[in-house]
Amino acid sequence: MSVATAEDLSAVGLSTVDQPPRARRVRSLIGWLLVTALVIGGAALMLRVAVSTPSWRETLDPEGVGETGAMALAEILRDQGVEVHVYRSRLETAAALDADTTLVMANPVSLSDEGVAALIEPADRVVFLSTGTHLVELLELGENAVAPSAPVEAHCDAPEFALVGTIRPDRFFAPGDRVRGCFGDDGAFAVLTAERDGAVHTVVEGARLFSNARLAEDGNAALALALLGQTDKVAWYVPSFADSDFEEESPETLGSLTPDWLTPAIMLLLLTGIAAALWRGRRFGPLVAETLPVTVRASETMHGRARLTAKAADAAHAAAALQEGSRRRLAKRLGLALTASADEIADAAADRLRIPRGSLQDLLGGPVPSHDAALVLFARQLAELETSVDSSHALLENPSEEHRDR
């Protein structure tokens, strides 16, 4: 029984050449478009991040609805009859201050020391809802202290804090001279208050305590009302770099520190990379056969393609390759053109073997098996057919052997 040649088995392997050329080109073009879009999108995102300025608008913003905003606190004050006016300009804030107004703000990091002093100077009552080490030192209220681990109560004689209960602050301070400390013990307090020249200045680290997400916990809401509800009106100033007094300029950012030529250079490098990828990358269009730079033995190709097909369990592909190889060899042995159809080859083989026409059409041109057991039987039938045709061809060339057999 004959076996398939290495040339036939080489066709058994998986190949992308079977795909329509137009479909391959469309998929390849879509892939390159996606890569280009991702590169351009990434570059735009990096440039946007580089030139953007930091923003604390959401943190304790009385109009902020996020978890870090303070809209819930502003609404509670309004429900208690306190007029809450939100300002984003320090000039408008200063104009709105009077004896019945409490000036409220978060840590004004966008203002200089002179700007902070000018803003709070006309106010009789000032509350900083968040603070930093520099602000505490600027107001001469004290210094940082070690925070207790347990919840704390007021532990001071301020009547407005009597019904607050316990809170869990994130930061504690050691009060300075003539500064009252509340909500703490052993020299560490969360709230510092100083009365100087008829003005009351209070600081507390409330970025978490007074946020929308945490206001309902412990005594946070009661503490906020005790701090901000002592007057009929609240002027709530929201610091921002748009209202900064640092030489009337916005703070330096990564975008402002980089030279002007850097952005065009980055874009030029990106375009160069895209051009190089298109130039050196895979060309659009169908695959083109070319001579390999090395000599590969047919047996290596045969075994490699066979292993790929076995790994893919593609019995139908293997059967189609074996069927095509048998048709090609039979056409050559029967003296037919290589372009002969399966029916023509089947009829010629039947005539050579002197069997009825139509008995070989299914084997040479019919559907191929789709599982391994049928593939083995199918290969055996093809091999037996080729052997029979070879035998009949040998008898035609040397009829004396037939007489000797008889």
Side-chain angles (χ1 to χ4, degrees):
M1 181 176 66
S2 65
V3 295
T5 65
E7 181 183 2
D8 303 327
L9 291 178
S10 65
V12 174
L14 301 178
S15 174
T16 59
V17 180
D18 296 336
Q19 302 174 0
R22 181 178 179 83
R24 291 200 311 274
R25 286 195 295 271
V26 170
R27 281 194 293 271
S28 180
L29 181 59
I30 292 175
W32 277 111
L33 290 177
L34 289 176
V35 170
T36 303
L38 289 175
V39 171
I40 295 176
L45 180 60
M46 288 188 294
L47 290 176
R48 182 177 180 85
V49 172
V51 301
S52 61
T53 59
S55 173
W56 289 269
R57 165 126 186 196
E58 253 331 284
T59 303
L60 294 181
D61 189 327
E63 295 176 344
V65 296
E67 292 186 356
T68 60
M71 177 177 281
L73 174 55
E75 293 301 322
I76 290 177
L77 290 172
R78 292 188 178 102
D79 292 341
Q80 297 298 318
V82 179
E83 297 181 16
V84 179
H85 302 280
V86 180
Y87 301 97
R88 303 186 184 275
S89 167
R90 63 184 188 279
L91 297 180
E92 295 178 358
T93 304
L97 296 177
D98 54 34
D100 294 328
T101 302
T102 298
L103 174 60
V104 179
M105 73 184 83
N107 186 16
V109 294
S110 60
L111 298 180
S112 64
D113 294 350
E114 295 77 11
V116 174
L119 178 61
I120 67 177
E121 193 274 333
D124 292 337
R125 183 177 179 83
V126 182
V127 178
F128 293 94
L129 297 182
S130 66
T131 184
T133 302
H134 180 71
L135 180 63
V136 174
E137 294 176 352
L138 176 66
L139 299 177
E140 298 179 354
L141 296 178
E143 58 186 13
N144 293 322
V146 179
S149 57
V152 294
E153 297 181 351
H155 293 299
C156 66
D157 57 358
E160 61 268 25
F161 298 145
L163 301 178
V164 170
T166 61
I167 61 172
R168 300 174 182 269
D170 291 331
R171 191 171 188 177
F172 288 80
F173 307 95
D177 296 338
R178 294 182 298 172
V179 176
R180 181 180 63 194
C182 295
F183 293 96
D185 202 357
D186 296 332
F189 299 92
V191 179
L192 299 181
T193 302
E195 297 184 15
R196 296 168 182 165
D197 300 329
V200 179
H201 296 165
T202 302
V203 297
V204 59
E205 182 51 61
R208 186 183 66 89
L209 297 176
F210 305 140
S211 64
N212 293 333
R214 300 295 185 92
L215 186 63
E217 297 179 0
D218 301 320
N220 297 349
L223 175 61
L225 289 176
L227 291 173
L228 309 185
Q230 302 301 314
T231 56
D232 296 333
K233 294 184 293 183
V234 165
W236 198 317
Y237 172 65
V238 182
S240 65
F241 284 117
D243 191 49
S244 175
D245 67 332
F246 286 104
E247 299 180 357
E248 302 300 330
E249 295 181 359
S250 59
E252 292 183 339
T253 64
L254 181 61
S256 62
L257 293 175
T258 55
D260 296 337
W261 54 265
L262 183 60
T263 299
I266 292 176
M267 297 303 298
L268 181 60
L269 288 175
L270 289 175
L271 293 177
T272 303
I274 295 174
L278 293 175
W279 171 49
R280 301 297 295 177
R282 184 175 178 178
R283 299 285 184 177
F284 301 134
L287 298 177
V288 178
E290 61 180 353
T291 303
L292 293 176
V294 296
T295 301
V296 180
R297 290 184 296 178
S299 60
E300 294 181 2
T301 304
M302 175 185 69
H303 290 123
R305 298 290 183 100
R307 281 193 294 268
L308 286 175
T309 304
K311 185 177 180 180
D314 193 354
H317 189 90
L322 293 175
Q323 188 183 61
E324 173 63 23
S326 294
R327 286 199 302 262
R328 187 170 59 252
R329 287 188 297 273
L330 288 173
K332 182 178 180 180
R333 292 166 185 169
L334 295 172
L336 301 177
L338 294 179
T339 57
S341 64
D343 291 338
E344 293 173 346
I345 298 172
D347 290 341
D351 293 341
R352 176 66 61 85
L353 298 176
R354 299 177 184 178
I355 59 177
R357 287 193 172 191
S359 57
L360 300 178
Q361 262 71 11
D362 289 342
L363 181 61
L364 295 177
V368 296
S370 58
H371 54 86
D372 293 345
L375 174 62
V376 173
L377 178 60
F378 183 72
R380 184 180 296 116
Q381 291 174 344
L382 289 174
E384 291 175 352
L385 174 60
E386 293 185 41
T387 300
S388 300
V389 172
D390 287 343
S391 299
S392 63
H393 181 71
L395 290 175
L396 288 177
E397 292 182 348
N398 192 2
S400 60
E401 293 185 2
E402 182 179 8
H403 296 298
R404 284 198 302 270
D405 293 339
R406 292 180 180 177

